[in-house]
Amino acid sequence: MKKLLSSTAFLIVNKELAKKIGLKETVLLADLISKEEYFINNGMRDGWFFNTEHNIEQDTTLTPYQQRNALKTLKKHQIIQTKRMGIPAKKYFKINEEQVVKFLNNKTISNSPTFNNNKEIIINNKLSIKEKFENLVMFFDYPKEMKQDFIDYWTEKSSDRPNAKMRYEKQATFDVKLRLVRWEKNSKKWNNKSNKSKLEEQISEWEKAKKYIEKI
């Protein structure tokens, strides 16, 4: 859910979601998703992260009263879980991404991708396994080309046999959200290496041309 509804300094409010659960609720969710992204990038692995009413008000202009009402709705729809932990106690949040997918796709639970406690994808409805994987990946807010590369890699089969498993099915656990975070980071590294290699080639060609000119 890393860039699902938010991006750096902006809160991107999904209009379809706002129609279904409310504008304030959607703004609060977008802000929480941006906080979740921060904690994922800093090592969060269990899905729980903390935030304060003061921080939320500063980022969204929602008052504590508005936040509490919006949070009630989000919890009612099972989109958000909360609990208090630590000393002094802080409020922690967890986002249920499958419920967000359900609302945005306007489908019943039986037609939505679901997860077990290990974050493994469970597919048991009409769409093929590959189609459901593609739908889930395309839902996240990343460059389309990057998402397609991600899909092509993880849905590759080891053989042409009808029952051959795709690469992601062979993983003990597969959290799409965290895998996409790592994929994006690796993509940036690969692009930097590629750009560096191209620059080195250009410099090499320039040096060859210079030496040739000097001989003339």
Side-chain angles (χ1 to χ4, degrees):
M1 182 118 9
K2 179 174 175 286
K3 292 184 179 177
L4 184 59
L5 302 175
S6 60
S7 176
T8 59
F10 302 93
L11 289 179
I12 302 174
V13 177
N14 184 282
K15 291 187 289 185
E16 290 303 315
L17 194 60
K19 290 176 185 176
K20 292 171 185 175
I21 65 173
L23 179 58
K24 292 182 178 66
E25 288 78 2
T26 307
V27 169
L28 176 58
L29 178 61
D31 183 59
L32 290 175
I33 289 170
S34 72
K35 298 301 188 301
E36 181 193 45
E37 175 183 348
Y38 169 81
F39 282 101
I40 287 175
N41 288 332
N42 285 274
M44 183 264 286
R45 290 291 178 267
D46 62 358
W48 288 97
F49 59 95
F50 73 88
N51 203 357
T52 66
E53 288 185 345
H54 175 72
N55 285 340
I56 294 173
E57 184 172 11
Q58 291 233 313
D59 292 339
T60 66
T61 75
L62 293 174
T63 66
Y65 174 76
Q66 291 172 324
Q67 292 175 42
R68 289 191 289 270
N69 284 338
L71 194 55
K72 284 180 183 177
T73 302
L74 292 172
K75 292 170 75 172
K76 174 185 173 183
H77 291 301
Q78 300 179 351
I79 292 173
I80 295 288
Q81 294 174 258
T82 64
K83 63 181 178 180
R84 299 190 72 83
M85 295 188 295
I87 301 175
K90 296 177 182 177
K91 180 177 284 187
Y92 281 73
F93 300 84
K94 189 172 187 179
I95 300 170
N96 184 350
E97 64 188 62
E98 77 173 79
Q99 286 296 100
V100 181
V101 172
K102 185 187 78 171
F103 274 96
L104 288 179
N105 288 343
N106 196 25
K107 296 177 181 179
T108 61
I109 293 176
S110 62
N111 285 332
S112 301
T114 57
F115 300 82
N116 64 14
N117 291 333
N118 291 323
K119 286 293 189 178
E120 296 166 321
I121 298 175
I122 302 172
I123 308 294
N124 58 2
N125 45 45
K126 295 180 181 178
L127 293 177
S128 71
I129 292 177
K130 184 175 180 180
E131 287 173 328
K132 285 193 166 294
F133 185 83
E134 290 174 347
N135 287 346
L136 184 58
V137 172
M138 284 300 181
F139 172 71
F140 291 94
D141 184 21
Y142 286 96
K144 187 174 181 180
E145 185 178 349
M146 191 202 91
K147 289 187 289 189
Q148 192 58 57
D149 289 342
F150 181 88
I151 290 169
D152 292 342
Y153 177 81
W154 286 110
T155 58
E156 183 181 1
K157 291 188 175 183
S158 56
S159 71
D160 294 330
R161 289 180 293 121
N163 60 343
K165 289 186 176 182
M166 288 176 279
R167 184 178 272 120
Y168 88 87
E169 293 180 288
K170 296 179 181 179
Q171 306 298 306
T173 60
F174 197 94
D175 188 317
V176 173
K177 174 173 55 182
L178 294 179
R179 298 269 182 171
L180 279 167
V181 170
R182 288 196 291 270
W183 188 275
E184 183 188 38
K185 288 180 179 178
N186 288 334
S187 294
K188 290 177 180 178
K189 291 179 182 178
W190 298 330
N191 288 336
N192 287 338
K193 288 181 180 178
S194 176
N195 291 336
K196 184 178 179 181
S197 177
K198 289 179 181 178
L199 179 61
E200 288 173 345
E201 287 180 13
Q202 291 173 353
I203 293 173
S204 177
E205 291 299 319
W206 179 81
E207 287 177 343
K208 288 179 183 178
K210 183 180 177 183
K211 288 179 180 178
Y212 175 77
I213 292 171
E214 289 174 347
K215 290 180 180 179
I216 295 176

